[in-house]
Amino acid sequence: MRNKSIYATYSDQHVTVYQAFGNKIADELLLYGKFGSYFSLSRVSWIKTSFLWMMHRSEWASKRDQERIFSIQITKEGFDYILSQAVLTKFRPKIHSTSNEWKQKLNETNVLCQMDPDRDLYGNELQRKAVQLGLKNEILIKYVNEFIVGFSEITDKAKNYKRMILNNNLDISLLPLETKYSINDAVAMELGLSKGDDGQCIQESLSENN
């Protein structure tokens, strides 16, 4: 059974999320220090807390329109607010009372939540889930204008890590330290997640699967 928790790099003030963009969005972000005209506020924008899931999804910064990877720091309050609004994109009988209730919540929310198998260095599935949060409408505007406190492009780092993996010489201690993120009872129940912090980090989990 998979570990259904949120793992992230975070502090008391900030949470790190990852996004992949095409060159036009990335260039504007670096030029202006904020999203520009190529970043659409009328579409869903997905954020991830798992570095290796982001690498899997973007094929290590090689997939079309995902060639540029950014590490983005947002306020912890903002991340908690995003989680409080999230609704799973799939109906879960053990979580939702009825299919109609779930559909109504899904139609009304501005935060979509998908849980996918997390990945190891080689793209193999881990026995835990990775969270993706799709932001739209008012929440996306808040994310862009209020929640983001800093960012950095990590494309070169991702490509360097990929070369190390191919040469079988990547030290997993170089990876971002991701530990279980504590969430409140209501969010845990709505998303079918465990809520506590067990202290386990990404490196420990990867070691268990090697």
Side-chain angles (χ1 to χ4, degrees), residues 61-101:
S62 66
K63 197 171 185 179
R64 183 178 179 181
D65 291 330
Q66 297 190 45
E67 305 96 337
R68 308 278 290 277
I69 310 296
F70 283 78
S71 169
I72 301 173
Q73 289 69 53
I74 66 175
T75 64
K76 189 175 184 297
E77 292 81 3
F79 186 70
D80 288 342
Y81 181 71
I82 289 170
L83 287 178
S84 73
Q85 304 299 304
V87 176
L88 292 171
T89 56
K90 291 184 179 180
F91 172 65
R92 304 293 187 191
K94 293 183 179 180
I95 300 174
H96 308 109
S97 299
T98 65
S99 176
N100 287 336
E101 177 206 28

mmCIF file of all heavy atoms in Angstrom, residues 61-101:
data_model
loop_
_atom_site.group_PDB
_atom_site.id
_atom_site.type_symbol
_atom_site.label_atom_id
_atom_site.label_comp_id
_atom_site.label_asym_id
_atom_site.label_seq_id
_atom_site.Cartn_x
_atom_site.Cartn_y
_atom_site.Cartn_z
ATOM 1 N N ALA A 61 14.037 18.004 -17.848
ATOM 2 C CA ALA A 61 14.129 19.268 -18.590
ATOM 3 C C ALA A 61 14.390 19.057 -20.078
ATOM 4 O O ALA A 61 15.098 19.844 -20.711
ATOM 5 C CB ALA A 61 15.205 20.172 -17.987
ATOM 6 N N SER A 62 13.779 18.027 -20.643
ATOM 7 C CA SER A 62 13.957 17.787 -22.072
ATOM 8 C C SER A 62 12.631 17.715 -22.834
ATOM 9 O O SER A 62 12.626 17.726 -24.063
ATOM 10 C CB SER A 62 14.734 16.485 -22.304
ATOM 11 O OG SER A 62 13.984 15.357 -21.868
ATOM 12 N N LYS A 63 11.512 17.654 -22.100
ATOM 13 C CA LYS A 63 10.220 17.552 -22.748
ATOM 14 C C LYS A 63 9.799 18.903 -23.327
ATOM 15 O O LYS A 63 10.085 19.953 -22.747
ATOM 16 C CB LYS A 63 9.170 17.069 -21.736
ATOM 17 C CG LYS A 63 7.896 16.547 -22.358
ATOM 18 C CD LYS A 63 7.027 15.889 -21.295
ATOM 19 C CE LYS A 63 5.794 15.257 -21.904
ATOM 20 N NZ LYS A 63 4.960 14.589 -20.866
ATOM 21 N N ARG A 64 9.127 18.882 -24.454
ATOM 22 C CA ARG A 64 8.714 20.120 -25.106
ATOM 23 C C ARG A 64 7.840 20.967 -24.184
ATOM 24 O O ARG A 64 6.932 20.464 -23.534
ATOM 25 C CB ARG A 64 7.935 19.800 -26.388
ATOM 26 C CG ARG A 64 7.527 21.039 -27.177
ATOM 27 C CD ARG A 64 6.804 20.661 -28.438
ATOM 28 N NE ARG A 64 6.385 21.853 -29.172
ATOM 29 C CZ ARG A 64 5.701 21.832 -30.327
ATOM 30 N NH1 ARG A 64 5.376 20.660 -30.877
ATOM 31 N NH2 ARG A 64 5.371 22.957 -30.916
ATOM 32 N N ASP A 65 8.159 22.258 -24.132
ATOM 33 C CA ASP A 65 7.482 23.246 -23.288
ATOM 34 C C ASP A 65 7.688 22.991 -21.795
ATOM 35 O O ASP A 65 7.025 23.597 -20.964
ATOM 36 C CB ASP A 65 5.980 23.318 -23.596
ATOM 37 C CG ASP A 65 5.721 23.923 -24.969
ATOM 38 O OD1 ASP A 65 6.536 24.759 -25.424
ATOM 39 O OD2 ASP A 65 4.707 23.563 -25.583
ATOM 40 N N GLN A 66 8.616 22.106 -21.473
ATOM 41 C CA GLN A 66 9.012 21.886 -20.076
ATOM 42 C C GLN A 66 10.539 21.851 -19.972
ATOM 43 O O GLN A 66 11.096 21.199 -19.101
ATOM 44 C CB GLN A 66 8.405 20.587 -19.541
ATOM 45 C CG GLN A 66 6.886 20.584 -19.513
ATOM 46 C CD GLN A 66 6.323 19.401 -18.757
ATOM 47 O OE1 GLN A 66 6.779 19.058 -17.674
ATOM 48 N NE2 GLN A 66 5.324 18.769 -19.318
ATOM 49 N N GLU A 67 11.177 22.583 -20.876
ATOM 50 C CA GLU A 67 12.638 22.574 -20.942
ATOM 51 C C GLU A 67 13.307 23.369 -19.826
ATOM 52 O O GLU A 67 14.503 23.225 -19.603
ATOM 53 C CB GLU A 67 13.122 23.143 -22.284
ATOM 54 C CG GLU A 67 12.533 22.460 -23.511
ATOM 55 C CD GLU A 67 11.327 23.193 -24.070
ATOM 56 O OE1 GLU A 67 10.686 23.947 -23.283
ATOM 57 O OE2 GLU A 67 11.027 23.030 -25.268
ATOM 58 N N ARG A 68 12.541 24.190 -19.144
ATOM 59 C CA ARG A 68 13.111 25.064 -18.121
ATOM 60 C C ARG A 68 12.432 24.765 -16.780
ATOM 61 O O ARG A 68 11.210 24.899 -16.646
ATOM 62 C CB ARG A 68 12.906 26.533 -18.500
ATOM 63 C CG ARG A 68 13.386 26.874 -19.925
ATOM 64 C CD ARG A 68 14.862 27.115 -20.000
ATOM 65 N NE ARG A 68 15.229 28.362 -19.340
ATOM 66 C CZ ARG A 68 15.144 29.563 -19.937
ATOM 67 N NH1 ARG A 68 14.678 29.690 -21.173
ATOM 68 N NH2 ARG A 68 15.535 30.643 -19.286
ATOM 69 N N ILE A 69 13.225 24.407 -15.803
ATOM 70 C CA ILE A 69 12.695 24.006 -14.500
ATOM 71 C C ILE A 69 12.988 25.087 -13.478
ATOM 72 O O ILE A 69 14.112 25.596 -13.393
ATOM 73 C CB ILE A 69 13.323 22.680 -14.021
ATOM 74 C CG1 ILE A 69 13.256 21.615 -15.112
ATOM 75 C CG2 ILE A 69 12.623 22.198 -12.748
ATOM 76 C CD1 ILE A 69 11.872 21.202 -15.505
ATOM 77 N N PHE A 70 11.980 25.410 -12.672
ATOM 78 C CA PHE A 70 12.136 26.431 -11.638
ATOM 79 C C PHE A 70 11.763 25.875 -10.271
ATOM 80 O O PHE A 70 10.782 25.138 -10.125
ATOM 81 C CB PHE A 70 11.253 27.646 -11.941
ATOM 82 C CG PHE A 70 11.801 28.534 -13.017
ATOM 83 C CD1 PHE A 70 11.680 28.186 -14.355
ATOM 84 C CD2 PHE A 70 12.466 29.712 -12.695
ATOM 85 C CE1 PHE A 70 12.206 28.991 -15.356
ATOM 86 C CE2 PHE A 70 12.990 30.528 -13.693
ATOM 87 C CZ PHE A 70 12.858 30.164 -15.026
ATOM 88 N N SER A 71 12.580 26.238 -9.296
ATOM 89 C CA SER A 71 12.280 26.005 -7.887
ATOM 90 C C SER A 71 11.672 27.300 -7.366
ATOM 91 O O SER A 71 12.287 28.366 -7.463
ATOM 92 C CB SER A 71 13.575 25.672 -7.137
ATOM 93 O OG SER A 71 13.383 25.680 -5.747
ATOM 94 N N ILE A 72 10.461 27.207 -6.844
ATOM 95 C CA ILE A 72 9.709 28.401 -6.445
ATOM 96 C C ILE A 72 9.371 28.310 -4.962
ATOM 97 O O ILE A 72 8.813 27.315 -4.493
ATOM 98 C CB ILE A 72 8.426 28.537 -7.288
ATOM 99 C CG1 ILE A 72 8.785 28.637 -8.772
ATOM 100 C CG2 ILE A 72 7.601 29.745 -6.839
ATOM 101 C CD1 ILE A 72 7.598 28.617 -9.715
ATOM 102 N N GLN A 73 9.704 29.364 -4.231
ATOM 103 C CA GLN A 73 9.394 29.417 -2.812
ATOM 104 C C GLN A 73 8.114 30.218 -2.598
ATOM 105 O O GLN A 73 7.995 31.349 -3.081
ATOM 106 C CB GLN A 73 10.540 30.065 -2.019
ATOM 107 C CG GLN A 73 11.793 29.201 -1.923
ATOM 108 C CD GLN A 73 12.518 29.053 -3.244
ATOM 109 O OE1 GLN A 73 12.832 30.048 -3.894
ATOM 110 N NE2 GLN A 73 12.764 27.824 -3.661
ATOM 111 N N ILE A 74 7.166 29.609 -1.895
ATOM 112 C CA ILE A 74 5.918 30.296 -1.584
ATOM 113 C C ILE A 74 5.728 30.311 -0.078
ATOM 114 O O ILE A 74 6.359 29.538 0.653
ATOM 115 C CB ILE A 74 4.707 29.647 -2.281
ATOM 116 C CG1 ILE A 74 4.456 28.232 -1.750
ATOM 117 C CG2 ILE A 74 4.914 29.607 -3.793
ATOM 118 C CD1 ILE A 74 3.192 27.595 -2.324
ATOM 119 N N THR A 75 4.880 31.203 0.383
ATOM 120 C CA THR A 75 4.644 31.275 1.825
ATOM 121 C C THR A 75 3.965 30.001 2.313
ATOM 122 O O THR A 75 3.176 29.385 1.595
ATOM 123 C CB THR A 75 3.755 32.474 2.182
ATOM 124 O OG1 THR A 75 2.461 32.296 1.589
ATOM 125 C CG2 THR A 75 4.372 33.777 1.692
ATOM 126 N N LYS A 76 4.298 29.616 3.530
ATOM 127 C CA LYS A 76 3.654 28.442 4.113
ATOM 128 C C LYS A 76 2.160 28.678 4.257
ATOM 129 O O LYS A 76 1.355 27.760 4.045
ATOM 130 C CB LYS A 76 4.278 28.119 5.474
ATOM 131 C CG LYS A 76 3.835 26.797 6.064
ATOM 132 C CD LYS A 76 4.604 26.507 7.338
ATOM 133 C CE LYS A 76 4.232 25.121 7.877
ATOM 134 N NZ LYS A 76 2.818 25.017 8.248
ATOM 135 N N GLU A 77 1.782 29.891 4.600
ATOM 136 C CA GLU A 77 0.356 30.213 4.712
ATOM 137 C C GLU A 77 -0.341 30.048 3.366
ATOM 138 O O GLU A 77 -1.470 29.549 3.289
ATOM 139 C CB GLU A 77 0.177 31.638 5.226
ATOM 140 C CG GLU A 77 0.599 31.866 6.665
ATOM 141 C CD GLU A 77 2.102 32.052 6.831
ATOM 142 O OE1 GLU A 77 2.830 32.053 5.805
ATOM 143 O OE2 GLU A 77 2.555 32.193 7.981
ATOM 144 N N GLY A 78 0.336 30.470 2.306
ATOM 145 C CA GLY A 78 -0.226 30.326 0.974
ATOM 146 C C GLY A 78 -0.384 28.870 0.578
ATOM 147 O O GLY A 78 -1.414 28.467 0.020
ATOM 148 N N PHE A 79 0.633 28.062 0.883
ATOM 149 C CA PHE A 79 0.555 26.639 0.550
ATOM 150 C C PHE A 79 -0.554 25.958 1.331
ATOM 151 O O PHE A 79 -1.318 25.153 0.781
ATOM 152 C CB PHE A 79 1.897 25.965 0.839
ATOM 153 C CG PHE A 79 1.959 24.531 0.396
ATOM 154 C CD1 PHE A 79 1.984 24.203 -0.950
ATOM 155 C CD2 PHE A 79 1.992 23.502 1.332
ATOM 156 C CE1 PHE A 79 2.046 22.877 -1.369
ATOM 157 C CE2 PHE A 79 2.050 22.170 0.925
ATOM 158 C CZ PHE A 79 2.074 21.863 -0.425
ATOM 159 N N ASP A 80 -0.670 26.286 2.611
ATOM 160 C CA ASP A 80 -1.736 25.698 3.428
ATOM 161 C C ASP A 80 -3.112 26.113 2.906
ATOM 162 O O ASP A 80 -4.065 25.312 2.914
ATOM 163 C CB ASP A 80 -1.585 26.124 4.887
ATOM 164 C CG ASP A 80 -0.412 25.452 5.575
ATOM 165 O OD1 ASP A 80 0.074 24.421 5.061
ATOM 166 O OD2 ASP A 80 0.031 25.954 6.626
ATOM 167 N N TYR A 81 -3.206 27.358 2.448
ATOM 168 C CA TYR A 81 -4.490 27.815 1.891
ATOM 169 C C TYR A 81 -4.816 27.060 0.605
ATOM 170 O O TYR A 81 -5.961 26.648 0.393
ATOM 171 C CB TYR A 81 -4.442 29.314 1.616
ATOM 172 C CG TYR A 81 -5.738 29.862 1.055
ATOM 173 C CD1 TYR A 81 -6.862 29.971 1.857
ATOM 174 C CD2 TYR A 81 -5.832 30.251 -0.276
ATOM 175 C CE1 TYR A 81 -8.064 30.453 1.353
ATOM 176 C CE2 TYR A 81 -7.025 30.737 -0.796
ATOM 177 C CZ TYR A 81 -8.131 30.839 0.022
ATOM 178 O OH TYR A 81 -9.322 31.313 -0.491
ATOM 179 N N ILE A 82 -3.811 26.859 -0.240
ATOM 180 C CA ILE A 82 -4.018 26.084 -1.466
ATOM 181 C C ILE A 82 -4.522 24.690 -1.125
ATOM 182 O O ILE A 82 -5.494 24.199 -1.715
ATOM 183 C CB ILE A 82 -2.707 26.009 -2.273
ATOM 184 C CG1 ILE A 82 -2.387 27.376 -2.892
ATOM 185 C CG2 ILE A 82 -2.800 24.946 -3.374
ATOM 186 C CD1 ILE A 82 -1.006 27.459 -3.506
ATOM 187 N N LEU A 83 -3.887 24.027 -0.161
ATOM 188 C CA LEU A 83 -4.310 22.688 0.244
ATOM 189 C C LEU A 83 -5.735 22.679 0.771
ATOM 190 O O LEU A 83 -6.500 21.731 0.518
ATOM 191 C CB LEU A 83 -3.366 22.135 1.307
ATOM 192 C CG LEU A 83 -1.973 21.690 0.861
ATOM 193 C CD1 LEU A 83 -1.177 21.218 2.069
ATOM 194 C CD2 LEU A 83 -2.066 20.581 -0.182
ATOM 195 N N SER A 84 -6.102 23.722 1.488
ATOM 196 C CA SER A 84 -7.444 23.775 2.085
ATOM 197 C C SER A 84 -8.540 23.872 1.028
ATOM 198 O O SER A 84 -9.700 23.548 1.307
ATOM 199 C CB SER A 84 -7.548 24.960 3.050
ATOM 200 O OG SER A 84 -7.620 26.193 2.348
ATOM 201 N N GLN A 85 -8.186 24.306 -0.172
ATOM 202 C CA GLN A 85 -9.160 24.457 -1.252
ATOM 203 C C GLN A 85 -9.131 23.291 -2.248
ATOM 204 O O GLN A 85 -9.938 23.241 -3.169
ATOM 205 C CB GLN A 85 -8.873 25.756 -2.024
ATOM 206 C CG GLN A 85 -8.863 27.016 -1.171
ATOM 207 C CD GLN A 85 -10.187 27.264 -0.494
ATOM 208 O OE1 GLN A 85 -11.218 27.346 -1.134
ATOM 209 N NE2 GLN A 85 -10.148 27.385 0.830
ATOM 210 N N ALA A 86 -8.209 22.355 -2.057
ATOM 211 C CA ALA A 86 -7.977 21.310 -3.052
ATOM 212 C C ALA A 86 -9.058 20.233 -3.048
ATOM 213 O O ALA A 86 -9.575 19.840 -1.998
ATOM 214 C CB ALA A 86 -6.613 20.674 -2.813
ATOM 215 N N VAL A 87 -9.370 19.752 -4.243
ATOM 216 C CA VAL A 87 -10.320 18.649 -4.432
ATOM 217 C C VAL A 87 -9.667 17.633 -5.362
ATOM 218 O O VAL A 87 -9.078 18.002 -6.391
ATOM 219 C CB VAL A 87 -11.644 19.138 -5.048
ATOM 220 C CG1 VAL A 87 -12.575 17.956 -5.336
ATOM 221 C CG2 VAL A 87 -12.331 20.134 -4.118
ATOM 222 N N LEU A 88 -9.748 16.375 -5.016
ATOM 223 C CA LEU A 88 -9.179 15.317 -5.848
ATOM 224 C C LEU A 88 -9.835 15.286 -7.230
ATOM 225 O O LEU A 88 -11.041 15.499 -7.351
ATOM 226 C CB LEU A 88 -9.354 13.960 -5.176
ATOM 227 C CG LEU A 88 -8.544 13.713 -3.901
ATOM 228 C CD1 LEU A 88 -8.993 12.413 -3.243
ATOM 229 C CD2 LEU A 88 -7.053 13.681 -4.198
ATOM 230 N N THR A 89 -9.049 14.982 -8.242
ATOM 231 C CA THR A 89 -9.582 14.934 -9.608
ATOM 232 C C THR A 89 -10.266 13.608 -9.913
ATOM 233 O O THR A 89 -10.845 13.455 -10.985
ATOM 234 C CB THR A 89 -8.461 15.171 -10.629
ATOM 235 O OG1 THR A 89 -7.408 14.209 -10.421
ATOM 236 C CG2 THR A 89 -7.902 16.578 -10.506
ATOM 237 N N LYS A 90 -10.171 12.652 -8.983
ATOM 238 C CA LYS A 90 -10.844 11.368 -9.171
ATOM 239 C C LYS A 90 -11.765 11.095 -7.988
ATOM 240 O O LYS A 90 -11.436 11.408 -6.845
ATOM 241 C CB LYS A 90 -9.823 10.233 -9.306
ATOM 242 C CG LYS A 90 -9.018 10.284 -10.590
ATOM 243 C CD LYS A 90 -8.098 9.071 -10.703
ATOM 244 C CE LYS A 90 -7.308 9.090 -11.995
ATOM 245 N NZ LYS A 90 -6.411 7.907 -12.114
ATOM 246 N N PHE A 91 -12.907 10.500 -8.279
ATOM 247 C CA PHE A 91 -13.869 10.136 -7.243
ATOM 248 C C PHE A 91 -13.327 8.986 -6.405
ATOM 249 O O PHE A 91 -12.869 7.967 -6.935
ATOM 250 C CB PHE A 91 -15.202 9.728 -7.881
ATOM 251 C CG PHE A 91 -16.196 9.164 -6.905
ATOM 252 C CD1 PHE A 91 -16.721 9.956 -5.903
ATOM 253 C CD2 PHE A 91 -16.602 7.834 -7.003
ATOM 254 C CE1 PHE A 91 -17.642 9.436 -4.993
ATOM 255 C CE2 PHE A 91 -17.525 7.311 -6.110
ATOM 256 C CZ PHE A 91 -18.041 8.124 -5.104
ATOM 257 N N ARG A 92 -13.339 9.166 -5.086
ATOM 258 C CA ARG A 92 -12.903 8.128 -4.155
ATOM 259 C C ARG A 92 -14.051 7.792 -3.208
ATOM 260 O O ARG A 92 -14.399 8.590 -2.334
ATOM 261 C CB ARG A 92 -11.700 8.610 -3.340
ATOM 262 C CG ARG A 92 -10.511 9.077 -4.170
ATOM 263 C CD ARG A 92 -9.875 7.950 -4.931
ATOM 264 N NE ARG A 92 -8.644 8.364 -5.582
ATOM 265 C CZ ARG A 92 -7.998 7.630 -6.478
ATOM 266 N NH1 ARG A 92 -8.480 6.448 -6.826
ATOM 267 N NH2 ARG A 92 -6.879 8.068 -7.026
ATOM 268 N N PRO A 93 -14.652 6.619 -3.354
ATOM 269 C CA PRO A 93 -15.801 6.254 -2.510
ATOM 270 C C PRO A 93 -15.515 6.319 -1.017
ATOM 271 O O PRO A 93 -16.417 6.613 -0.227
ATOM 272 C CB PRO A 93 -16.120 4.816 -2.949
ATOM 273 C CG PRO A 93 -15.568 4.715 -4.334
ATOM 274 C CD PRO A 93 -14.340 5.574 -4.348
ATOM 275 N N LYS A 94 -14.271 6.048 -0.620
ATOM 276 C CA LYS A 94 -13.933 6.075 0.802
ATOM 277 C C LYS A 94 -13.789 7.497 1.339
ATOM 278 O O LYS A 94 -13.722 7.704 2.548
ATOM 279 C CB LYS A 94 -12.638 5.300 1.048
ATOM 280 C CG LYS A 94 -12.769 3.797 0.796
ATOM 281 C CD LYS A 94 -11.460 3.091 1.127
ATOM 282 C CE LYS A 94 -11.590 1.589 0.911
ATOM 283 N NZ LYS A 94 -10.328 0.862 1.227
ATOM 284 N N ILE A 95 -13.732 8.481 0.424
ATOM 285 C CA ILE A 95 -13.551 9.874 0.819
ATOM 286 C C ILE A 95 -14.810 10.686 0.595
ATOM 287 O O ILE A 95 -15.251 11.435 1.472
ATOM 288 C CB ILE A 95 -12.374 10.509 0.051
ATOM 289 C CG1 ILE A 95 -11.075 9.757 0.353
ATOM 290 C CG2 ILE A 95 -12.247 11.996 0.373
ATOM 291 C CD1 ILE A 95 -9.901 10.223 -0.473
ATOM 292 N N HIS A 96 -15.408 10.522 -0.576
ATOM 293 C CA HIS A 96 -16.575 11.319 -0.952
ATOM 294 C C HIS A 96 -17.857 10.545 -0.683
ATOM 295 O O HIS A 96 -17.946 9.339 -0.949
ATOM 296 C CB HIS A 96 -16.494 11.691 -2.430
ATOM 297 C CG HIS A 96 -15.192 12.333 -2.812
ATOM 298 N ND1 HIS A 96 -14.243 11.681 -3.579
ATOM 299 C CD2 HIS A 96 -14.675 13.548 -2.516
ATOM 300 C CE1 HIS A 96 -13.207 12.482 -3.755
ATOM 301 N NE2 HIS A 96 -13.430 13.611 -3.119
ATOM 302 N N SER A 97 -18.847 11.238 -0.174
ATOM 303 C CA SER A 97 -20.125 10.583 0.150
ATOM 304 C C SER A 97 -20.785 10.022 -1.095
ATOM 305 O O SER A 97 -21.222 8.872 -1.115
ATOM 306 C CB SER A 97 -21.054 11.586 0.850
ATOM 307 O OG SER A 97 -20.487 12.051 2.055
ATOM 308 N N THR A 98 -20.872 10.863 -2.138
ATOM 309 C CA THR A 98 -21.498 10.436 -3.390
ATOM 310 C C THR A 98 -20.724 11.016 -4.559
ATOM 311 O O THR A 98 -19.966 11.987 -4.413
ATOM 312 C CB THR A 98 -22.955 10.919 -3.491
ATOM 313 O OG1 THR A 98 -22.958 12.363 -3.555
ATOM 314 C CG2 THR A 98 -23.780 10.444 -2.313
ATOM 315 N N SER A 99 -20.931 10.436 -5.714
ATOM 316 C CA SER A 99 -20.298 10.935 -6.932
ATOM 317 C C SER A 99 -20.767 12.351 -7.242
ATOM 318 O O SER A 99 -19.975 13.199 -7.678
ATOM 319 C CB SER A 99 -20.611 10.010 -8.111
ATOM 320 O OG SER A 99 -20.080 10.512 -9.316
ATOM 321 N N ASN A 100 -22.033 12.621 -7.005
ATOM 322 C CA ASN A 100 -22.574 13.961 -7.269
ATOM 323 C C ASN A 100 -21.960 15.010 -6.360
ATOM 324 O O ASN A 100 -21.684 16.140 -6.793
ATOM 325 C CB ASN A 100 -24.097 13.959 -7.116
ATOM 326 C CG ASN A 100 -24.791 13.258 -8.259
ATOM 327 O OD1 ASN A 100 -24.243 13.146 -9.357
ATOM 328 N ND2 ASN A 100 -25.996 12.768 -8.021
ATOM 329 N N GLU A 101 -21.730 14.638 -5.086
ATOM 330 C CA GLU A 101 -21.101 15.568 -4.152
ATOM 331 C C GLU A 101 -19.682 15.908 -4.625
ATOM 332 O O GLU A 101 -19.266 17.067 -4.609
ATOM 333 C CB GLU A 101 -21.040 14.947 -2.759
ATOM 334 C CG GLU A 101 -20.321 15.828 -1.738
ATOM 335 C CD GLU A 101 -19.712 15.038 -0.588
ATOM 336 O OE1 GLU A 101 -19.358 13.861 -0.782
ATOM 337 O OE2 GLU A 101 -19.576 15.620 0.488
#
